[in-house]
Amino acid sequence: MPREEPLLTPRPSSEQSSIRNAEEEDALLTGERTRRPEPRRGWGFWREIGLFAWALIATIAVIVIAVVYQHESSWAQSHSKESWGPGGKPTGKRNLIFMVSDGMGPTSLSMTRSFRQLTEGLPADDTLVLDKHILGTSRTRSSSSLVTDSAAGATAFSCGFKSYNGAISVLPDHSPCGTVLEAASLAGYKTGLVVTTRITDATPACFVSHVNYRQYEDQIAEQEIGEHPLGRVVDLIMGGGRCHFLPNTTEGSCRADDRDLVAIAKDKGFSYLKDRKGFDALNGGTEAKLPLLGLFAEGDIPFELDRRAQNDVYPSLEEMARSALRILSEATEDSEQGFFLMIEGSRIDHAGHGNDPAAQVHEVLAYDRAIAAVLEFLEQDSTPGVMVSTSDHETGGLAAARQLHTSYPDYLWLPSVLANASHSAEFATKELRNYLKEHPDTDKSAQEAYTRELLKKALGVQDASQAEVDALLDTNNPIPSSYVFADIISRRAQIGWSTHGHSAVDVNIYASSSKAAWPLQGNHENTEVGNFLADYLDLDIGAITKRLQDSEFWSAGAEAGAESQSQTEGQSFTWLGDPLGDDVRTEGIDTYHGDFKKRSFLGDECGCGAVH
């Protein structure tokens, strides 16, 4: 039955309906389908096309404007005062203290914190001063390796550029790059370096000198006292490394030539200190005269674990830091500019290289005390300032855990073992060497008795095995006795090490104020730390780099200078030292070359952590 449509069903308009009905009738009569002519495209059609095109163009324009606006807003925000956090970037006179905990990784803090809690009877929630000021982390790779050395690491801090392992403030093409300390000095800031290693070692060297390879320490020393294309740029130097400043005709010298840099420094106006007596004469910094050269050890200042028993011979890192801060503060009291001071806890790194956990916890504690001294200074000083601290890398691949046997390990590490040590493995090694040298004809039983007593006295180890004693006395043992001493205490404390070298782990960034060091929050390349230092002091390091690269040769006025210049005339940047050979990688990460097969230690597990 056909469906009946409602009476009120809408119908097409009469005009359109009549046309359609006529077409349908023609089709029924002729049997052919009638094609309707295409409607004429008048103004309405083109109007719709125009509106669509306009809408499309407008949409695209809005998207482009939004993207550009967002990009410009992000750039403006990153370059505005807001990127420095509340209050914006500091202005006016200010001080910057940059501290480097050479070789200290995150596990160093964990180990030291637990050690301190045990030895001082502190609760589990007690922390180090450093723990209260952590701000971010730093990635440490160099231009030539995922595992940096101190030279490339410090070049990133001083210049804000990546370079190859071994480079002292030079770029991969062996051209010099300006440093934050040089720029600060030329901008009117007073500058200083305080370290516990040789002042010619990689980290301090990168702030005041430029050489192609870190082992050119004689040349580094020359530049530090002002034989430099920019002239003298450092006002205060405290640390070790006296041997590189003395002529090779003098006892205690390690120079390759007979130049007396101490005498030259004095002629340039430096006041010179060589011992604890001279340091104490500074009276905490109130009796100092700049420029000042303080070389308190022939080589490195002893580990803090050993130095504390020789306090009348060597000043501590904290003491040097306090005096340096006082000296530079008073020197800039009436100046429009403040000061830049680099302080390094240098020998944390050496304890890591030696895999000596007892030495390392005391080095970290000494660094923590220096941090506290700097924070105290910043609180009391009338000039605004900031302290930023980080590490150039981690050393040793330290783990606060160790599996001693093939069976499933206990979850332990024992700081009490480290608390029993009164000296470092380095100290014990020197003592044993001196004994064997002075008693060459002593029978083996007497040597063994001395060695066991030394282990008790220096490391607090009462239960040395015969194999351990034999390893220390074996003159043909390829493993250095210092490594054996360190492993003896590491195994008992159940502290693990993966290398005697560096690792690629990210390291922490600390600051006295998150407000003042706002841009360093989060994870950063180490070059960003260097960029922050220059930016905080409003320094143009690029201009310093240009001046250095435009310099042909320096004119130090020393006898050796003219001879050196004549021998190398025509070569670029010869004052940087002999360029490295073509086989030295300056850029690009190396690949696997079958090293495991070449240096296999399968079946040769000695437990000493030595390189095989």
Side-chain angles (χ1 to χ4, degrees), residues 365-506:
L365 286 173
Y367 186 75
D368 200 55
R369 289 191 291 270
I371 288 279
V374 170
L375 294 174
E376 179 184 312
F377 169 83
L378 289 172
E379 285 185 11
Q380 297 176 356
D381 194 55
S382 59
T383 301
V386 67
M387 178 278 295
V388 172
S389 167
T390 191
S391 305
D392 42 7
H393 53 75
E394 190 273 348
T395 304
L398 174 63
R402 183 162 181 168
Q403 183 165 342
L404 299 175
H405 311 288
T406 56
S407 57
Y408 193 80
D410 295 325
Y411 293 168
L412 293 171
W413 97 260
L414 307 170
S416 59
V417 174
L418 308 187
N420 292 331
S422 60
H423 289 284
S424 67
E426 180 181 84
F427 173 90
T429 299
K430 290 179 180 177
E431 292 289 295
L432 181 59
R433 286 177 181 169
N434 289 338
Y435 170 81
L436 295 176
K437 183 178 180 180
E438 294 170 5
H439 303 83
D441 300 324
T442 306
D443 60 38
K444 185 177 180 182
S445 61
Q447 291 179 350
E448 289 180 0
Y450 175 84
T451 303
R452 290 183 183 277
E453 189 61 30
L454 178 61
L455 283 166
K456 293 177 185 178
K457 182 183 74 171
L459 304 186
V461 172
Q462 308 282 340
D463 60 347
S465 68
Q466 187 61 46
E468 289 172 329
V469 173
D470 289 343
L472 289 169
L473 293 173
D474 182 4
T475 56
N476 295 318
N477 189 350
I479 302 165
S481 55
S482 61
Y483 288 1
V484 178
F485 275 119
D487 186 64
I488 287 172
I489 193 168
S490 291
R491 289 176 68 86
R492 285 160 176 77
Q494 292 193 213
I495 286 293
W497 305 87
S498 65
T499 178
H500 281 287
H502 300 169
S503 74
V505 69
D506 289 358

Side-chain angles (χ1 to χ4, degrees), residues 129-169:
V129 175
L130 279 163
D131 290 319
K132 300 176 178 67
H133 294 274
I134 187 167
L135 187 67
T137 55
S138 170
R139 306 187 295 274
T140 63
R141 64 180 290 174
S142 70
S143 70
S144 63
S145 177
L146 290 173
V147 181
T148 190
D149 80 327
S150 292
T155 295
F157 300 148
S158 64
C159 290
F161 287 102
K162 297 280 188 182
S163 197
Y164 57 90
N165 287 359
I168 300 294
S169 290

